[in-house]
Amino acid sequence: MSDHALRLLREQPHLAELAAFPFNFDLARADHGEAVRLASGGPLEAVAGDDTGGTYFVCGDGSVLYADSEGSAGIIGDSVDEALEVLVGLPGWHDYLGLAPDDGEEKIRAAVAETEEEIREYHGIDDERTELRAGLGLPERSPVELIGLLHAALLRTEPDFLLLNAEEGGAHALLDRHPRPPLWEAVLARGRTDLTLLREGSAWDEVAGDRARRALALRAAQFDRREGDLPLLRHLLRHEAEASMTDELRLAAVLVGLHGCAEDLPLLYEVRETDFDTWCGLGGMPEPGADPAELGRWARDLDDSLFGTDPADEPLFTWTGLAHEQGLVELARAALIRRLDDIDFRAYCDARDGKAMERRDASQLSSLVHEFEKLGDTFQALRAQRLYVPLQTRAWDRVSALLRLARLEREEGRFGAAIRTLTSLRETLAEPASGADDGDGDGDGDKSLGHWQRTNLGAYIVEEHYALARTAATDTALADEVRALTVAAGELMGRLSGTARANVEQHLAETTDTHTDIHTDTGADADADPGAGVSAEPTPPQPSAG
């Protein structure tokens, strides 16, 4: 990292003037005009701009990120010095974003010569380039070398330097259009290496004993199947069973089962009986003593419906989850943000054309919320949840979605928005769209919220009201809204069944400690409905990834 040239430009006005014209690196144009940030949360400092509205940013490691005025961004140098080498040596660099070293010297020199001749029709660049290079101490490099530097820098943009609109959260497009390897290729690299080690007979315990390495090795075996892999697959299966039910456990069972060996039936049965989750997840598996052909059919059916041999066919969330497990957090984050942007854009187009957002996006949005929360990225989780809420037509689902939205807004410090969301939630509780159908097939309207007071959902709703009231109390501008929220929380508490209310009171006692600003006494009989329990209807406020 070097900022030698940047210091000289700031100290010597004449050099700064040369950089600004004719090389369009103007220290006086460092205001980008809109708030932006890196998806990774890394530091970003605007240092210069150009006459097209583009801005040059210095990142935490010294890399220079250029963002144009059209919503594209890319790394153009490992340092300000290197970026200036490119800008001074290739004053028409915007025209070369599609060039790569593989294009060959002849094509590169011809493209640069053509652009520079066009520039010379309007102003000089040769003497100015010589003077600026000398003043900044920049080496003289050939156009071919500079295209190589620019190309390598651009390819580093994603994932570590993904630029976002700070307010809306959408990502900038890549400045160039050079092809990148698919996500699965980067994620599988370690798994392929470990699979080779396993096949060589080494590192069996090291790979099998590490959850992330074991999962990747199994995925590598999924896409590179060999007859001699059965012993190592059995070894990985035994260890994966210790993690209870996972996608990789099912995959390991399928890969073992595909070999159709009768001696594997006791092992597979033992794995299935590990716990209730594995018993459910490996349902339909033949029991010991069954015909090996039956085992093969079971494995092939699961393989055809869930796995296969092409990594490009795997869901995005398979690869982002495995990337996260490896510590490749920014790789996972960038892929998830790109997917969310695609859905967001479709929603915008549908709204523009007067169409409803497609239901097929609902499960993807739910999974995106879950994955972003696992990454600790509440900001992007909130983006996804906002798109998810309008897709819920059943009253129960709508209330659950609003509850999660309120929690995310609270965690992001958007207390006013969270209070409004809980108001919408209470309105849905009061009028759950009686004319709609709840999907049970009886055509009697939407009665899905008929017993919310006796469920986990009811308890979660009250707990979120109190959590928001306690947190938002720090914002004096919301004093009236917080008081109204606290009153609403008390009223909801009074409507809960005895058991559900007791659960909330226990939770509040555990979380509020010495807080005395939240009052839960509603005057209702705490022992009302003493026989009421919590409904068995599943009400996860945080749905798992699909």
Side-chain angles (χ1 to χ4, degrees), residues 100-389:
D102 289 346
D103 290 319
E105 181 174 351
E106 182 178 353
K107 180 177 179 179
I108 290 172
R109 288 188 179 276
V112 171
E114 179 181 359
T115 303
E116 293 197 352
E117 281 305 310
E118 293 175 358
I119 293 173
R120 290 186 184 98
E121 292 180 7
Y122 299 96
H123 55 76
I125 55 172
D126 298 304
D127 292 342
E128 292 83 355
R129 177 156 48 201
T130 299
E131 182 178 358
L132 189 55
R133 275 175 170 164
L136 297 179
L138 302 178
E140 182 175 347
R141 298 185 190 270
S142 71
V144 177
E145 287 181 281
L146 292 171
I147 290 295
L149 290 176
L150 177 60
H151 179 71
L154 288 167
L155 292 181
R156 290 199 306 112
T157 303
E158 203 165 303
D160 293 326
F161 303 101
L162 183 64
L163 191 66
L164 307 180
N165 178 292
E167 295 297 324
E168 299 174 0
H172 283 55
L174 289 171
L175 194 60
D176 68 282
R177 295 297 181 266
H178 294 298
R180 266 72 168 177
L183 173 64
W184 60 261
E185 190 171 302
V187 174
L188 266 187
R190 178 66 182 273
R192 287 170 165 168
T193 299
D194 279 342
L195 182 59
T196 299
L197 292 175
L198 292 170
R199 285 170 173 165
E200 292 172 350
S202 59
W204 273 39
D205 290 335
E206 291 88 339
V207 173
D210 184 302
R211 160 62 194 156
R213 293 180 68 180
R214 183 173 67 242
L216 286 168
L218 282 166
R219 289 294 176 177
Q222 175 186 349
F223 305 115
D224 180 13
R225 304 180 182 193
R226 300 187 187 179
E227 192 64 32
D229 284 348
L230 184 54
L232 68 89
L233 291 173
R234 291 167 174 159
H235 187 66
L236 294 174
L237 172 62
R238 289 188 182 95
H239 281 77
E240 188 62 23
E242 298 172 4
S244 189
M245 194 61 233
T246 63
D247 287 340
E248 284 69 39
L249 178 65
R250 188 181 286 111
L251 170 61
V254 166
L255 292 176
V256 169
L258 285 172
H259 287 79
C261 296
E263 58 265 36
D264 288 321
L265 283 168
L267 169 62
L268 290 167
Y269 183 77
E270 178 186 344
V271 168
R272 191 190 73 173
E273 296 297 306
T274 300
D275 56 35
F276 181 72
D277 289 337
T278 55
W279 186 84
C280 294
L282 297 176
M285 177 189 293
E287 298 193 3
D291 187 336
E294 188 179 344
L295 172 61
R297 284 193 296 271
W298 172 82
R300 283 192 297 275
D301 287 345
L302 275 182
D303 190 29
D304 291 343
S305 62
L306 297 177
F307 299 111
T309 58
D310 187 349
D313 291 338
E314 282 291 323
L316 169 71
F317 305 110
T318 296
W319 302 121
T320 55
L322 290 169
H324 187 199
E325 284 192 35
Q326 289 187 78
L328 303 175
V329 174
E330 296 313 317
L331 190 66
R333 191 197 314 273
L336 293 169
I337 289 174
R338 292 293 189 195
R339 176 62 58 85
L340 177 56
D341 284 352
D342 289 343
I343 296 174
D344 200 358
F345 181 70
R346 287 201 300 273
Y348 164 78
C349 292
D350 289 342
R352 179 196 60 195
D353 298 338
K355 297 189 300 184
M357 189 174 171
E358 296 187 25
R359 292 284 307 167
R360 66 186 174 92
D361 288 328
S363 62
Q364 290 236 352
L365 286 167
S366 178
S367 295
L368 282 166
V369 175
H370 179 76
E371 293 299 314
F372 279 126
E373 287 205 89
K374 282 183 11 183
L375 294 178
D377 196 334
T378 310
F379 180 84
Q380 294 293 345
L382 178 55
R383 266 187 79 200
Q385 187 67 11
R386 283 185 181 136
L387 291 171
Y388 178 75
V389 169

Side-chain angles (χ1 to χ4, degrees), residues 407-469:
R407 176 179 60 78
L408 291 169
E409 289 170 334
R410 170 174 59 83
E411 291 175 355
E412 272 291 292
R414 305 185 183 206
F415 303 139
I419 290 172
R420 291 189 293 273
T421 296
L422 288 183
T423 299
S424 297
L425 186 155
R426 295 194 301 277
E427 291 171 351
T428 304
L429 288 177
E431 296 184 21
S434 57
D437 189 72
D438 59 6
D440 62 4
D442 61 10
D444 61 350
D446 190 339
K447 298 189 295 184
S448 58
L449 286 172
H451 302 287
W452 67 266
Q453 302 92 333
R454 301 164 62 92
T455 66
N456 288 330
L457 179 61
Y460 294 147
I461 289 170
V462 176
E463 288 169 5
E464 182 55 38
H465 274 71
Y466 282 122
L468 178 57

Side-chain angles (χ1 to χ4, degrees), residues 482-504:
V482 169
R483 279 192 290 271
L485 182 67
T486 305
V487 170
E491 292 173 350
L492 290 170
M493 175 77 99
R495 297 173 65 186
L496 295 182
S497 71
T499 301
R501 180 176 178 178
N503 290 341
V504 173

